Amino acid sequence: MTQPPHPGPHGSLAAPDVRGDVIDHGEHLSIRGDWVLGHYARLKADTDRFLADRQGQRKAGDLSELGRVDTAGAALIAELLGPDALAQLADQAPDLAEEKRALLHAVAATLANRSEPQRSTTNPIVAILMAAGQRTEQLFELLRLLLGFIGQTLAALAYNLPRPSRWRVTSFVAAVQDTGLNALPIVALLTFLVGAVVAFLGATVLEDFGATIYTVNLVAFSFLREFGVLLAAILLAGRTASSFTAHIGAMKVNEELDAIRTLGLNPIDLLVLPRVLAMMVSLPILTFVGMISGMVGGAAVCALALDISPSQFIAILERDIALKHLLVGLGKAPIFAFLIAVIGCLEGFKVSGSAQSVGEHTTSSVVQSIFMVILLDSIAALLFMEMGW
């Protein structure tokens, strides 16, 4: 790796090349010349070749002939000698400049603290339990943040509702149009199709018992109590919660939230409350539309396949279906709407400042919203069943 003298550009004998090299003296290595970024490619190739020849074995070093050195060169010297040996050698070199000594110490400490990948020897059962514990801890942390944000939202709502001058009417109306009116066609279409499917499947099963007339009861019960609110909530969780997260997350990436706080405004009052209130208004309306559309789809199947006329369908609804089933379904809608909106806004505030983070938290908001909606709906179904509602 030595570089002999060579003629200069005018034929005179020039000084040796300042590119760094290493001389093997048997018991130790002599580090010479300039180890800087400009020579990094050649120095890296020489270092790799030297370590390959020595099969990765490291020897003691001598830094007395070391010229200029920067971070890239110091990293190569640490790779050649070892981080610990480099730090010790830098202390023992009397002629080494203080700035070079500090640089070599910093690079050696950084490389020594860098953890190298190790093969895991953990018992698989222990690894599964550790992973489960970490997931549980993350879940509790998520619930803690969600409860805290719900508390902040409720406190802001209680403070602003008695003060009409603080109401954001324009933002509220725009959010109602986005979350309610624009979602109306897809909710109506989806619930109509699901109602038709439920009626068809119910008729197919009940036909074996000669009880196809009860298809009307099946469709009415399922949509008034469960499907109407559940389908509307899941659609809004995928459509609107993700929109809330992406909007607020993009504002955080662009530092607009910091600008809002600098102006003395509260982002919760400005961004969260209009969305939460709009969702609590929109979801009950969409739920009612979903109930009607689902029963219309069931009535269409009954009229086409079971010879149950629409007038007979409505008569059975009036006779057998109590008003409490409609109220149970509509009563769950504001709670679901509040949770969907809060989760969507919270995930937007949790964005860390990159486009990737926006995408991750948008996905997380949809998953969390749908999970919470289904979980609460299951709990409510068990509770109402036990109460005889």
Side-chain angles (χ1 to χ4, degrees):
M1 297 178 66
T2 58
Q3 194 76 12
H6 59 84
H10 301 290
S12 60
L13 189 64
D17 190 356
V18 294
R19 178 173 67 88
D21 60 2
V22 58
I23 302 298
D24 188 356
H25 295 289
E27 296 181 355
H28 70 279
L29 302 176
S30 179
I31 307 299
R32 310 189 313 172
D34 297 342
W35 290 66
V36 293
L37 185 61
H39 306 313
Y40 183 83
R42 290 182 294 171
L43 290 173
K44 176 64 175 173
D46 293 342
T47 301
D48 292 342
R49 185 164 54 250
F50 186 88
L51 290 175
D53 293 340
R54 293 294 176 179
Q55 297 180 354
Q57 296 179 357
R58 297 187 174 102
K59 296 183 178 183
D62 178 15
L63 301 178
S64 59
E65 299 182 56
L66 179 63
R68 294 181 301 146
V69 63
D70 58 10
T71 305
L76 289 178
I77 297 175
E79 182 180 351
L80 191 63
L81 302 178
D84 296 334
L86 177 60
Q88 184 178 4
L89 187 61
D91 289 332
Q92 296 174 353
D95 299 330
L96 194 64
E98 193 61 34
E99 62 273 12
K100 295 180 183 178
R101 193 189 315 274
L103 175 62
L104 294 177
H105 267 294
V107 172
T110 302
L111 294 179
N113 293 331
R114 185 175 62 185
S115 59
E116 296 182 358
Q118 298 178 354
R119 182 171 297 178
S120 175
T121 58
T122 308
N123 188 302
I125 297 178
V126 175
I128 294 174
L129 293 177
M130 289 175 58
Q134 292 175 351
R135 294 292 184 182
T136 304
E137 184 179 4
Q138 293 173 359
L139 177 61
F140 277 105
E141 178 65 17
L142 179 64
L143 290 176
R144 184 186 69 82
L145 291 175
L146 180 59
L147 290 176
F149 192 72
I150 288 175
Q152 285 184 312
T153 304
L154 291 177
L157 189 62
Y159 180 79
N160 285 278
L161 279 182
R163 297 170 174 82
S165 61
R166 298 179 62 89
W167 294 357
R168 307 284 177 176
V169 180
T170 303
S171 300
F172 170 76
V173 173
V176 168
Q177 179 181 3
D178 181 50
T179 61
L181 296 179
N182 294 343
L184 201 59
I186 184 64
V187 171
L189 177 60
L190 180 65
T191 50
F192 177 85
L193 296 177
V194 173
V197 171
V198 170
F200 182 77
L201 292 178
T204 302
V205 174
L206 293 173
E207 186 178 8
D208 296 336
F209 304 95
T212 53
I213 192 65
Y214 290 106
T215 303
V216 179
N217 302 66
L218 174 64
V219 172
F221 273 111
S222 60
F223 273 89
L224 290 178
R225 295 184 67 95
E226 300 295 337
F227 283 167
V229 63
L230 198 59
L231 291 175
I234 289 175
L235 278 175
L236 282 192
R239 180 184 180 277
T240 308
S242 60
S243 174
F244 289 172
T245 303
H247 188 191
I248 297 177
M251 293 181 69
K252 187 171 183 181
V253 170
N254 296 330
E255 300 181 354
E256 295 179 42
L257 296 183
D258 296 332
I260 290 174
R261 294 187 180 96
T262 303
L263 294 174
L265 301 175
N266 188 350
I268 293 182
D269 296 345
L270 195 64
L271 301 175
V272 178
L273 290 185
R275 289 173 167 80
V276 170
L277 294 176
M279 282 284 286
M280 294 180 69
V281 170
S282 299
L283 187 55
I285 297 174
L286 293 177
T287 298
F288 182 75
V289 171
M291 293 174 179
I292 300 302
S293 298
M295 288 189 292
V296 168
V301 171
C302 290
L304 296 175
L306 304 178
D307 293 330
I308 300 176
S309 64
S311 59
Q312 186 179 2
F313 189 96
I314 295 175
I316 295 174
L317 288 180
E318 294 177 351
R319 184 190 66 193
D320 296 341
I321 308 302
L323 180 62
K324 65 179 182 181
H325 303 302
L326 173 66
L327 298 180
V328 166
L330 290 178
K332 293 185 287 187
I335 300 175
F336 291 170
F338 180 82
L339 280 175
I340 292 170
V342 166
I343 291 174
C345 294
L346 174 60
E347 290 299 315
F349 283 111
K350 287 164 62 178
V351 170
S352 61
S354 64
Q356 180 181 359
S357 180
V358 174
E360 291 174 354
H361 286 285
T362 301
T363 303
S364 178
S365 69
V366 174
V367 173
Q368 291 180 42
S369 300
I370 294 176
F371 174 78
M372 291 299 295
V373 164
I374 295 176
L375 176 63
L376 288 181
D377 186 71
S378 303
I379 295 174
L382 294 176
L383 180 64
F384 291 146
M385 183 180 65
E386 292 297 327
M387 297 177 65
W389 291 0

